[in-house]
Amino acid sequence: MAERKKKLLQGNDACVEGALYAGCRFYAGYPITPSTEIAEGMSVRLPKLGGKFIQMEDEIASIAAAIGASLTGLKSLTATSGPGLSLKQECIGYACLTEVPLVIVNVMRGGPSTGYPTGPSQSDLMAAKWGAHGDHPAISLAPQSVQEILTETVRAFNLAERFRTPVMVLYDEIVGHMREPITLPLPGELEVIDRAKAACRPEEYFPYDDRYEVAPLAPFGAGYRFHVTGLNHKQDGFPTNDSNIIRANNERIMNKIENHKDEICLNEAIDLDDAEIAVVAIGSTARSARYAVKEARAAGIKAGLLRPITMWPFPDKAVKELGSRVKAIIVPELNLGQMVHEVERCSKKAQVTGIHRVDGEPITPAQILEAIRKHK
Amino acid sequence: MATLKELSAKKELFTGGHRLCSGCGIPPIVRLILRSTDSPIVATTATGCLEVGSTIYPYTAWRIPWIHSAFENAAATISGVETAYRALRKRGRIPDRDMKFIAFGGDGGTYDIGIQALSGALERGHDFLYVCYDNGGYMNTGIQRSSATPMAAATTTSPAGDVIPGKQNWRKDLTKIVVAHDIPYAAQASPHNWADLSKKAEKALKVKGAAFMNVMSPCPLGWYTKPEDSMKLAKLSVDTCYWPLYEVENGVLRVTYKPKEKRPFEEWLKPQGRFKHVFKPENAHLIEESQKRIDLEWQRLLDLDGKRV
């Protein structure tokens, strides 16, 4: 068997590795700190693989180009941060409604506005879920390490292709810019999913065939002629005013995610079996939490960590279960209170408290340990 | 026009101690422009080197009211300021005096993401000056290509490899696009020619309505050049006719500097690390193609010199 390659990589480089592994062959982007290394990496790597890198004139154009490319059948990626995410929001909603598979990487920096471009943050959690007008589905994955950025980027493409929807890879600047040794997966080692192919003849094809929950998406240019619009549409893609069809489609694009949460949600549980005090954290904050939990255990405190790797849909089930049996849940996050409200919503019994930091510095293990001790 | 002595006697409105790189073209451009009027000035700056390099708390290099807007909307922000000022003056809420409004943006914030806001402000005819400092790339985020990047230049998103030798496209002619808006004053300038630059800034700030200046701004970091060579390189960009100095005043084009001896384009390329690969024998055609295009553009300008455009 071939030897796995070890490499010292930055988080954003690992994202490039993951995207290429998943079969991404199109990237459209725009420079913005702290995500620019993804564009730089793709500009070097994609042409060698017969793929295409385009630098566009802004973030709006970048996501629009990626949507266009995805419709031709290519797995497409765009990456951004902060203000760039704000600009992409209209097109995120468009991709949700038109059901175009797409991966968007958001390397979170301090906000709002230009904020703190070089400072870490986890303040786009709600923007990842709600950031576009109208009801729309959201899948966001939240890796905590360089290795996991690679594997979660692969999973993001898989989910995008499987559910015909945009998927966001969401990580803070610390994880994006840190360097760690990682192992590159061998071909075939990780699952790679491609979108369902149209099985029918072109004249029988509907891009939103109502016999399916997720209809196959034929590539533009392969003989399947169809209509794509951001207006509410019928199964043939053309706009409609039919209230029944509009309702059914709006519900279906939400339900195709909601009904498959078990397939999408992924958590890591550390020392939770007998825990009395739990920490729920993602990204770099989860790494501080892991250390704090270890220290607490060494001091005889029954602490544990639940780390959602899938941020959206939120792991309601896991948090509900946890909240029914622990005394307290601590939610450290690099924002002024976002995930803490989700945890509160899911855990009626346990006392939920947040630790929030927005000064551009990470939450330290000591801060989390202190909070754990308070609940002892 | 003010003499050098008069200019030097004016109060410095953009002070030293900022964090822009040594050899950066931006500070001399900003200093000269701010000296070109005696009226009070309000400025806005798009996200970019100038913004980051001159305003990190608790310091500021600006001795005038200054606003940082986002990346794409410096021209829209100054539109709001200028309109509010006119409204307040009309109602007698603020003293009736002549004020100047200037927006500064780099080529990324002007040619690319900011062109919509710029075009809108020019069309509405706000009484302001937009200054683009064109260093040919996104230098603040670490040297990515922009639509102002010269053809064949290597950047981190247009890397020069064995197959693709750097940027594949010719730069956008933004000045030409601005001129098509039919505003009272538009010009191209370069900081090495301070007299030409200040004269243009003086005119641009004097006209009623929208004015625009596109200014060549050498960037040692992104061009891979020596800081001490910046003004020489600015001069060479003009002497090779890659960056012609001209103005369009009330529709009439005038070339403001004609090099006595037009230098070959490669003299500008040679000292710049970003063009290192074009001197490989297999890339000789890139220099030839660029030279042809420059010759054509220069001739076009000479043909239009003194004419209504």
Side-chain angles (χ1 to χ4, degrees):
Chain A
M1 207 179 138
E3 190 91 351
R4 285 194 196 85
K5 237 199 201 149
K6 282 213 167 145
K7 259 188 165 175
L8 179 69
L9 287 185
Q10 185 195 73
N12 285 335
D13 297 332
C15 179
V16 171
E17 294 295 340
L20 298 176
Y21 186 95
C24 170
R25 291 297 177 267
F26 184 88
Y27 182 97
Y30 190 69
I32 188 158
T33 307
S35 75
T36 309
E37 294 84 4
I38 302 171
E40 293 175 340
M42 287 305 236
S43 79
V44 174
R45 301 286 296 280
L46 272 176
K48 294 177 185 167
L49 296 166
K52 186 74 195 164
F53 165 89
I54 315 182
Q55 187 180 313
M56 301 296 288
E57 70 273 22
D58 62 22
E59 283 91 351
I60 302 171
S62 306
I63 186 168
I67 289 169
S70 181
L71 281 167
T72 72
L74 289 185
K75 291 186 183 178
S76 303
L77 176 70
T78 185
T80 195
S81 307
L85 180 69
S86 297
L87 289 175
K88 285 185 193 295
Q89 290 189 351
E90 186 187 4
C91 277
I92 291 175
Y94 176 91
C96 288
L97 184 72
T98 53
E99 299 182 69
V100 177
L102 175 71
V103 175
I104 303 143
V105 181
N106 176 24
V107 189
M108 289 181 282
R109 70 188 218 184
S113 189
T114 312
Y116 189 9
T118 52
S121 158
Q122 294 174 328
S123 54
D124 299 345
L125 305 185
M126 288 298 155
K129 164 105 175 117
W130 301 107
H133 62 275
D135 290 314
H136 60 277
I139 303 179
S140 302
L141 311 180
Q144 64 152 3
S145 66
V146 176
Q147 183 80 52
E148 206 171 74
I149 288 177
L150 189 157
T151 52
E152 286 306 292
T153 303
V154 175
R155 197 162 74 94
F157 275 100
N158 288 347
L159 293 170
E161 295 285 307
R162 159 82 178 82
F163 293 106
R164 267 186 73 172
T165 195
V167 174
M168 193 177 289
V169 184
L170 193 60
Y171 53 85
D172 53 79
E173 184 272 345
I174 296 178
V175 187
H177 276 165
M178 68 161 66
R179 282 170 198 278
E180 289 181 313
I182 71 161
T183 310
L184 295 179
L186 294 169
E189 192 178 339
L190 301 180
E191 185 188 25
V192 170
I193 296 174
D194 296 323
R195 66 191 68 169
K197 286 198 171 64
C200 59
R201 293 202 305 272
E203 56 274 27
E204 293 164 350
Y205 176 74
F206 292 126
Y208 306 97
D209 196 326
D210 57 18
R211 292 171 301 169
Y212 297 88
E213 187 181 36
V214 180
L217 180 60
F220 272 173
Y224 294 82
R225 180 168 165 262
F226 59 95
H227 192 85
V228 181
T229 173
L231 290 160
N232 283 112
H233 42 258
K234 299 179 291 193
Q235 66 168 350
D236 60 7
F238 285 97
T240 181
N241 295 331
D242 184 321
S243 57
N244 278 324
I245 296 176
I246 292 171
R247 176 191 47 75
N249 257 325
N250 279 336
E251 286 174 1
R252 184 181 53 77
I253 63 169
M254 298 301 275
N255 288 336
K256 72 179 178 185
I257 307 303
E258 191 61 30
N259 294 342
H260 297 274
K261 271 165 85 168
D262 289 345
E263 212 182 304
I264 302 167
C265 284
L266 188 64
N267 303 303
E268 187 189 11
I270 294 166
D271 291 338
L272 279 179
D273 290 345
D274 62 342
E276 288 169 2
I277 299 160
V279 183
V280 178
I282 61 160
S284 68
T285 310
R287 298 177 68 140
S288 291
R290 180 187 307 262
Y291 193 87
V293 163
K294 206 174 105 190
E295 295 272 291
R297 284 273 167 182
I301 306 168
K302 286 182 175 169
L305 168 68
L306 176 70
R307 179 172 74 88
I309 303 172
T310 300
M311 175 68 212
W312 304 112
F314 193 70
D316 290 17
K317 216 157 88 180
V319 177
K320 265 181 197 157
E321 188 275 323
L322 187 67
S324 68
R325 65 179 167 89
V326 298
K327 216 162 58 180
I329 301 181
I330 296 155
V331 186
E333 49 183 341
L334 294 173
N335 57 50
L336 288 174
Q338 298 191 12
M339 189 164 66
V340 68
H341 300 304
E342 291 296 305
V343 175
E344 273 169 355
R345 178 176 62 77
C346 295
S347 54
K348 303 284 181 230
K349 219 176 109 222
Q351 191 195 337
V352 179
T353 43
I355 302 174
H356 307 293
R357 194 159 188 180
V358 289
D359 60 355
E361 295 295 325
I363 293 175
T364 61
Q367 272 181 288
I368 300 169
L369 189 60
E370 193 193 323
I372 292 174
R373 282 184 195 281
K374 268 186 203 156
H375 286 286
K376 203 179 83 175
Chain B
M1 194 206 132
T3 63
L4 187 55
K5 206 171 169 187
E6 283 161 354
L7 278 178
S8 64
K10 285 194 182 177
K11 193 181 170 192
E12 194 73 74
L13 298 177
F14 185 84
T15 67
H18 53 70
R19 301 176 181 196
L20 289 155
C21 306
S22 50
C24 172
I26 304 169
I29 295 169
V30 176
R31 289 169 62 202
L32 272 171
I33 288 171
L34 296 184
R35 275 166 205 268
S36 303
T37 178
D38 291 321
S39 303
I41 305 169
V42 177
T44 180
T45 300
T47 305
C49 290
L50 174 58
E51 171 252 326
V52 169
S54 64
T55 64
I56 300 295
Y57 184 80
Y59 306 107
T60 176
W62 301 82
R63 284 205 177 114
I64 53 172
W66 180 90
I67 311 161
H68 165 231
S69 53
F71 199 7
E72 69 277 22
N73 50 16
T77 304
I78 207 76
S79 297
V81 176
E82 187 265 347
T83 306
Y85 173 73
R86 267 191 290 125
L88 291 171
R89 192 167 58 173
K90 203 168 150 191
R91 284 188 227 152
R93 298 267 295 275
I94 49 173
D96 186 10
R97 59 179 176 177
D98 186 39
M99 279 202 59
K100 301 298 177 193
F101 302 92
I102 308 178
F104 290 96
D107 48 289
T110 309
Y111 283 66
D112 291 345
I113 197 168
I115 196 170
Q116 176 175 333
L118 173 64
S119 178
L122 299 179
E123 186 270 334
R124 290 187 301 270
H126 294 280
D127 188 15
F128 82 116
L129 165 63
Y130 193 102
V131 179
C132 174
Y133 56 91
D134 181 346
N135 52 26
Y138 292 84
M139 306 316 190
N140 186 40
T141 44
I143 317 156
Q144 291 81 32
R145 61 91 87 188
S146 77
S147 58
T149 303
M151 192 174 82
T155 71
T156 58
T157 52
S158 64
D162 295 336
V163 181
I164 308 173
K167 193 196 174 197
Q168 296 286 285
N169 324 82
W170 191 257
R171 61 174 282 273
K172 187 190 276 183
D173 191 340
L174 181 69
T175 310
K176 221 196 264 179
I177 296 171
V178 168
V179 167
H181 286 74
D182 222 356
I183 55 171
Y185 190 81
Q188 258 184 204
S190 171
H192 80 276
N193 191 339
W194 64 267
D196 182 75
L197 173 61
S198 345
K199 206 162 151 188
K200 284 171 177 167
E202 220 173 273
K203 278 186 187 178
L205 287 164
K206 213 167 266 170
V207 295
K208 275 277 155 237
F212 173 83
M213 288 176 70
N214 204 357
V215 191
M216 170 54 68
S217 183
C219 173
L221 190 78
W223 293 10
Y224 299 90
T225 50
K226 291 186 199 134
E228 62 268 34
D229 286 347
S230 288
M231 288 305 135
K232 269 188 242 166
L233 285 161
K235 185 170 190 315
L236 266 175
S237 76
V238 173
D239 284 341
T240 55
C241 297
Y242 173 74
W243 192 261
L245 302 185
Y246 72 99
E247 62 184 7
V248 179
E249 200 176 353
N250 295 316
V252 178
L253 187 146
R254 203 169 65 82
V255 178
T256 57
Y257 172 83
K258 290 173 193 162
K260 281 194 190 76
E261 190 197 346
K262 184 164 169 274
R263 312 296 310 169
F265 185 46
E266 61 174 277
E267 286 188 18
W268 185 62
L269 304 180
K270 194 87 200 186
Q272 301 185 48
R274 61 178 174 161
F275 295 113
K276 204 170 142 199
H277 58 285
V278 306
F279 290 94
K280 288 183 187 166
E282 65 269 29
N283 288 332
H285 65 282
L286 291 172
I287 302 179
E288 273 168 48
E289 277 166 35
S290 297
Q291 185 67 63
K292 265 187 210 155
R293 182 111 184 212
I294 288 163
D295 294 345
L296 211 70
E297 280 297 306
W298 177 239
Q299 192 53 52
R300 185 188 73 89
L301 278 178
L302 292 178
D303 292 345
L304 291 172
D305 193 14
K307 297 203 177 81
R308 184 162 284 279
V309 291

Coordinates of all heavy atoms in Angstrom, one line a residue, chain A residues 179-229:
Chain A
R179 N -0.2 26.3 11.9 CA 0.4 25.3 11.1 C 0.5 24.0 12.0 O 1.0 24.1 13.1 CB 1.8 25.7 10.7 CG 1.8 26.6 9.5 CD 3.1 27.3 9.2 NE 2.9 28.5 8.3 CZ 2.7 28.4 7.0 NH1 2.8 27.3 6.4 NH2 2.4 29.5 6.3
E180 N 0.2 22.9 11.4 CA 0.3 21.6 12.1 C 0.7 20.5 11.1 O 0.3 20.6 9.9 CB -1.1 21.2 12.7 CG -1.6 22.1 13.9 CD -2.9 21.7 14.4 OE1 -3.9 21.4 13.6 OE2 -3.0 21.5 15.6
P181 N 1.3 19.5 11.6 CA 1.6 18.4 10.7 C 0.3 17.6 10.4 O -0.4 17.4 11.4 CB 2.6 17.5 11.5 CG 2.4 17.9 12.9 CD 1.8 19.3 13.0
I182 N 0.1 17.3 9.2 CA -1.1 16.5 8.9 C -0.7 15.4 7.9 O 0.3 15.4 7.3 CB -2.2 17.4 8.3 CG1 -1.9 17.8 6.8 CG2 -2.6 18.6 9.1 CD1 -3.2 18.2 6.1
T183 N -1.6 14.4 7.9 CA -1.4 13.3 7.0 C -2.4 13.4 5.8 O -3.6 13.6 6.0 CB -1.8 12.0 7.7 OG1 -1.1 12.0 9.0 CG2 -1.4 10.8 7.0
L184 N -1.8 13.4 4.6 CA -2.7 13.5 3.4 C -3.3 12.2 3.1 O -2.7 11.2 3.1 CB -1.9 14.0 2.2 CG -1.3 15.4 2.3 CD1 -0.4 15.7 1.1 CD2 -2.3 16.5 2.6
P185 N -4.7 12.2 3.0 CA -5.3 10.9 2.7 C -5.0 10.3 1.3 O -4.7 11.1 0.4 CB -6.8 11.3 2.8 CG -6.9 12.7 2.5 CD -5.6 13.3 3.0
L186 N -4.9 9.0 1.3 CA -4.7 8.4 0.0 C -5.9 8.4 -0.9 O -7.0 8.5 -0.4 CB -4.3 6.9 0.2 CG -3.0 6.7 0.9 CD1 -2.8 5.3 1.3 CD2 -1.8 7.2 0.1
P187 N -5.8 8.4 -2.2 CA -7.0 8.3 -3.1 C -7.8 7.1 -2.6 O -7.3 6.0 -2.4 CB -6.4 8.1 -4.5 CG -5.0 8.6 -4.4 CD -4.5 8.3 -3.0
G188 N -9.1 7.4 -2.5 CA -10.0 6.3 -2.2 C -10.2 6.1 -0.7 O -11.1 5.4 -0.2
E189 N -9.3 6.8 0.1 CA -9.4 6.6 1.6 C -10.6 7.3 2.2 O -11.3 6.8 3.1 CB -8.1 7.1 2.2 CG -7.9 6.7 3.6 CD -6.6 7.2 4.2 OE1 -5.7 7.5 3.5 OE2 -6.6 7.4 5.4
L190 N -10.9 8.5 1.7 CA -12.1 9.2 2.2 C -13.2 9.1 1.2 O -12.9 9.1 0.0 CB -11.7 10.7 2.4 CG -10.6 11.1 3.3 CD1 -10.5 12.6 3.4 CD2 -10.9 10.6 4.7
E191 N -14.4 9.1 1.7 CA -15.5 9.0 0.8 C -15.7 10.3 0.0 O -15.5 11.4 0.5 CB -16.8 8.8 1.6 CG -18.0 8.6 0.8 CD -19.3 8.6 1.6 OE1 -19.3 9.2 2.7 OE2 -20.3 8.0 1.1
V192 N -15.9 10.1 -1.3 CA -16.1 11.3 -2.2 C -17.5 11.1 -2.9 O -17.6 10.1 -3.6 CB -15.0 11.5 -3.2 CG1 -15.4 12.6 -4.2 CG2 -13.7 12.0 -2.4
I193 N -18.4 12.0 -2.7 CA -19.7 11.8 -3.3 C -19.9 12.8 -4.5 O -19.5 13.9 -4.4 CB -20.8 12.1 -2.3 CG1 -20.8 11.1 -1.1 CG2 -22.2 12.1 -2.9 CD1 -21.7 11.3 0.0
D194 N -20.4 12.3 -5.6 CA -20.7 13.1 -6.7 C -22.2 13.3 -6.9 O -22.9 12.4 -6.5 CB -20.1 12.5 -8.0 CG -18.6 12.4 -8.0 OD1 -18.0 13.4 -7.4 OD2 -18.1 11.5 -8.5
R195 N -22.6 14.4 -7.4 CA -24.1 14.6 -7.5 C -24.7 13.5 -8.4 O -24.1 13.0 -9.3 CB -24.3 16.0 -8.1 CG -23.9 16.2 -9.5 CD -23.9 17.7 -9.9 NE -22.9 18.5 -9.2 CZ -22.6 19.7 -9.5 NH1 -23.2 20.4 -10.5 NH2 -21.7 20.4 -8.8
A196 N -26.0 13.3 -8.1 CA -26.8 12.3 -8.9 C -26.8 12.7 -10.3 O -27.1 13.9 -10.6 CB -28.1 12.1 -8.3
K197 N -26.6 11.8 -11.2 CA -26.7 12.1 -12.6 C -28.1 11.9 -13.1 O -28.8 11.0 -12.6 CB -25.8 11.1 -13.4 CG -24.3 11.4 -13.2 CD -23.4 10.8 -14.3 CE -22.0 11.3 -14.2 NZ -21.3 11.0 -13.0
A198 N -28.5 12.7 -14.1 CA -29.8 12.5 -14.7 C -29.9 11.2 -15.5 O -29.0 10.9 -16.3 CB -30.1 13.7 -15.7
A199 N -30.8 10.4 -15.1 CA -30.9 9.0 -15.7 C -31.9 9.0 -16.9 O -31.9 8.1 -17.7 CB -31.4 8.0 -14.7
C200 N -32.7 10.1 -17.1 CA -33.6 10.1 -18.1 C -33.1 10.7 -19.4 O -32.0 11.3 -19.4 CB -34.9 10.8 -17.7 SG -34.5 12.5 -17.2
R201 N -34.0 10.7 -20.5 CA -33.6 11.3 -21.7 C -33.7 12.8 -21.5 O -34.6 13.3 -20.7 CB -34.5 10.9 -22.9 CG -34.3 9.4 -23.2 CD -34.8 9.1 -24.6 NE -36.2 9.6 -24.8 CZ -37.2 8.8 -24.6 NH1 -37.0 7.5 -24.1 NH2 -38.4 9.2 -24.8
P202 N -32.9 13.6 -22.3 CA -33.0 15.1 -22.1 C -34.4 15.7 -22.2 O -34.8 16.6 -21.4 CB -32.1 15.6 -23.2 CG -31.2 14.6 -23.5 CD -31.9 13.3 -23.2
E203 N -35.3 15.2 -23.1 CA -36.6 15.7 -23.2 C -37.5 15.4 -22.1 O -38.6 16.0 -21.9 CB -37.2 15.4 -24.6 CG -37.3 13.9 -24.9 CD -36.0 13.3 -25.5 OE1 -34.9 13.9 -25.3 OE2 -36.1 12.3 -26.2
E204 N -37.1 14.5 -21.2 CA -37.9 14.1 -20.1 C -37.4 14.7 -18.8 O -38.0 14.5 -17.7 CB -37.9 12.6 -19.9 CG -38.6 11.8 -21.0 CD -38.3 10.3 -21.0 OE1 -37.4 9.9 -20.2 OE2 -38.9 9.6 -21.7
Y205 N -36.3 15.5 -18.9 CA -35.6 15.9 -17.7 C -36.2 17.2 -17.1 O -36.6 18.1 -17.8 CB -34.2 16.2 -18.0 CG -33.4 16.8 -16.9 CD1 -33.0 16.0 -15.8 CD2 -33.0 18.1 -16.9 CE1 -32.3 16.5 -14.8 CE2 -32.3 18.7 -15.8 CZ -32.0 17.9 -14.8 OH -31.3 18.4 -13.7
F206 N -36.4 17.2 -15.8 CA -36.8 18.4 -15.1 C -35.8 18.7 -14.0 O -35.4 17.8 -13.2 CB -38.2 18.2 -14.4 CG -39.3 18.1 -15.3 CD1 -40.2 17.0 -15.2 CD2 -39.6 19.0 -16.3 CE1 -41.3 16.8 -16.1 CE2 -40.7 18.9 -17.1 CZ -41.5 17.8 -17.0
P207 N -35.2 19.9 -14.0 CA -34.2 20.2 -13.0 C -34.7 20.1 -11.5 O -33.9 19.9 -10.6 CB -33.7 21.6 -13.3 CG -34.9 22.2 -14.1 CD -35.5 21.0 -14.8
Y208 N -36.0 20.3 -11.4 CA -36.6 20.2 -10.0 C -37.7 19.2 -10.0 O -38.8 19.4 -9.5 CB -37.1 21.6 -9.5 CG -36.0 22.6 -9.7 CD1 -35.9 23.5 -10.8 CD2 -35.0 22.7 -8.7 CE1 -34.9 24.4 -10.9 CE2 -34.0 23.7 -8.8 CZ -33.9 24.5 -9.9 OH -32.9 25.4 -10.0
D209 N -37.4 18.0 -10.6 CA -38.3 16.9 -10.7 C -39.0 16.6 -9.4 O -38.4 16.2 -8.4 CB -37.6 15.7 -11.2 CG -38.5 14.6 -11.8 OD1 -39.6 14.5 -11.3 OD2 -38.0 13.9 -12.7
D210 N -40.4 16.8 -9.4 CA -41.0 16.7 -8.1 C -41.2 15.3 -7.6 O -41.8 15.1 -6.5 CB -42.3 17.5 -8.0 CG -43.3 17.1 -9.1 OD1 -43.1 16.0 -9.6 OD2 -44.2 17.9 -9.4
R211 N -40.7 14.3 -8.3 CA -40.7 13.0 -7.8 C -39.6 12.7 -6.8 O -39.6 11.7 -6.1 CB -40.6 12.0 -8.9 CG -41.8 11.9 -9.9 CD -41.6 11.1 -11.1 NE -40.4 11.6 -11.8 CZ -39.8 10.9 -12.8 NH1 -40.2 9.7 -13.1 NH2 -38.8 11.5 -13.4
Y212 N -38.7 13.6 -6.8 CA -37.5 13.5 -5.9 C -37.5 14.5 -4.7 O -38.0 15.6 -4.9 CB -36.2 13.7 -6.7 CG -35.9 12.8 -7.8 CD1 -36.4 13.0 -9.1 CD2 -35.1 11.7 -7.6 CE1 -36.1 12.2 -10.1 CE2 -34.8 10.8 -8.6 CZ -35.3 11.1 -9.9 OH -35.0 10.2 -10.9
E213 N -36.8 14.1 -3.7 CA -36.6 15.1 -2.6 C -35.4 15.9 -3.1 O -35.4 17.1 -2.9 CB -36.2 14.3 -1.3 CG -36.1 15.2 -0.1 CD -35.7 14.4 1.1 OE1 -34.9 13.5 1.0 OE2 -36.2 14.8 2.2
V214 N -34.4 15.3 -3.6 CA -33.2 16.0 -4.2 C -33.1 15.5 -5.6 O -32.7 14.3 -5.9 CB -31.9 15.7 -3.5 CG1 -30.8 16.5 -4.1 CG2 -32.0 16.1 -2.0
A215 N -33.5 16.3 -6.6 CA -33.6 15.8 -8.0 C -32.1 15.8 -8.6 O -31.3 16.6 -8.2 CB -34.4 16.7 -8.8
P216 N -31.9 14.9 -9.5 CA -30.6 14.9 -10.2 C -30.3 16.2 -10.9 O -31.3 16.8 -11.4 CB -30.6 13.7 -11.1 CG -31.8 12.9 -10.7 CD -32.7 13.8 -10.0
L217 N -29.1 16.7 -10.9 CA -28.8 17.9 -11.6 C -27.9 17.6 -12.8 O -26.8 17.2 -12.7 CB -28.0 18.9 -10.6 CG -27.6 20.2 -11.2 CD1 -28.8 21.0 -11.6 CD2 -26.8 21.0 -10.1
A218 N -28.5 17.8 -14.0 CA -27.7 17.6 -15.2 C -26.8 18.8 -15.5 O -27.2 19.9 -15.2 CB -28.7 17.4 -16.4
P219 N -25.6 18.5 -16.0 CA -24.7 19.6 -16.3 C -25.1 20.4 -17.5 O -25.5 19.8 -18.5 CB -23.4 18.9 -16.5 CG -23.7 17.5 -16.9 CD -25.0 17.2 -16.3
F220 N -25.0 21.7 -17.4 CA -25.2 22.5 -18.6 C -24.2 22.0 -19.7 O -23.1 21.7 -19.4 CB -24.9 24.0 -18.3 CG -26.1 24.8 -17.8 CD1 -25.9 26.1 -17.3 CD2 -27.4 24.2 -17.8 CE1 -27.0 26.8 -16.9 CE2 -28.4 24.9 -17.3 CZ -28.2 26.2 -16.8
G221 N -24.7 22.0 -20.9 CA -23.8 21.6 -22.0 C -23.8 20.2 -22.3 O -23.0 19.7 -23.2
A222 N -24.6 19.4 -21.6 CA -24.6 17.9 -21.9 C -25.9 17.5 -22.6 O -26.3 16.3 -22.6 CB -24.5 17.2 -20.6
G223 N -26.6 18.5 -23.2 CA -27.8 18.2 -23.9 C -29.1 18.3 -23.2 O -30.2 18.2 -23.7
Y224 N -29.0 18.6 -21.8 CA -30.2 18.8 -21.0 C -30.4 20.3 -21.0 O -29.6 21.0 -20.4 CB -30.0 18.2 -19.6 CG -29.8 16.7 -19.6 CD1 -28.6 16.1 -19.8 CD2 -30.9 15.9 -19.3 CE1 -28.5 14.7 -19.8 CE2 -30.8 14.6 -19.2 CZ -29.6 14.0 -19.5 OH -29.5 12.6 -19.5
R225 N -31.5 20.7 -21.6 CA -31.7 22.2 -21.7 C -32.7 22.5 -20.6 O -33.8 21.9 -20.5 CB -32.3 22.5 -23.1 CG -32.6 24.0 -23.2 CD -32.8 24.3 -24.7 NE -33.5 25.6 -24.8 CZ -34.8 25.8 -24.9 NH1 -35.6 24.8 -25.0 NH2 -35.3 27.0 -25.0
F226 N -32.4 23.4 -19.7 CA -33.3 23.7 -18.6 C -33.1 25.1 -18.1 O -32.1 25.8 -18.4 CB -33.3 22.7 -17.5 CG -31.9 22.5 -16.8 CD1 -31.6 23.3 -15.7 CD2 -30.9 21.7 -17.3 CE1 -30.4 23.1 -15.1 CE2 -29.7 21.6 -16.7 CZ -29.4 22.3 -15.6
H227 N -34.1 25.6 -17.3 CA -34.2 26.9 -16.9 C -33.8 27.1 -15.4 O -34.3 26.3 -14.6 CB -35.6 27.4 -17.1 CG -35.8 28.9 -17.0 ND1 -35.6 29.7 -18.0 CD2 -36.2 29.6 -15.9 CE1 -35.9 31.0 -17.6 NE2 -36.2 30.9 -16.4
V228 N -33.0 28.0 -15.1 CA -32.6 28.2 -13.7 C -32.9 29.7 -13.4 O -32.5 30.6 -14.1 CB -31.1 28.0 -13.5 CG1 -30.7 28.2 -12.0 CG2 -30.7 26.6 -13.9
T229 N -33.7 29.9 -12.3 CA -34.0 31.2 -11.9 C -34.1 31.4 -10.4 O -34.4 30.4 -9.7 CB -35.4 31.6 -12.5 OG1 -35.8 32.9 -12.0 CG2 -36.5 30.7 -12.2

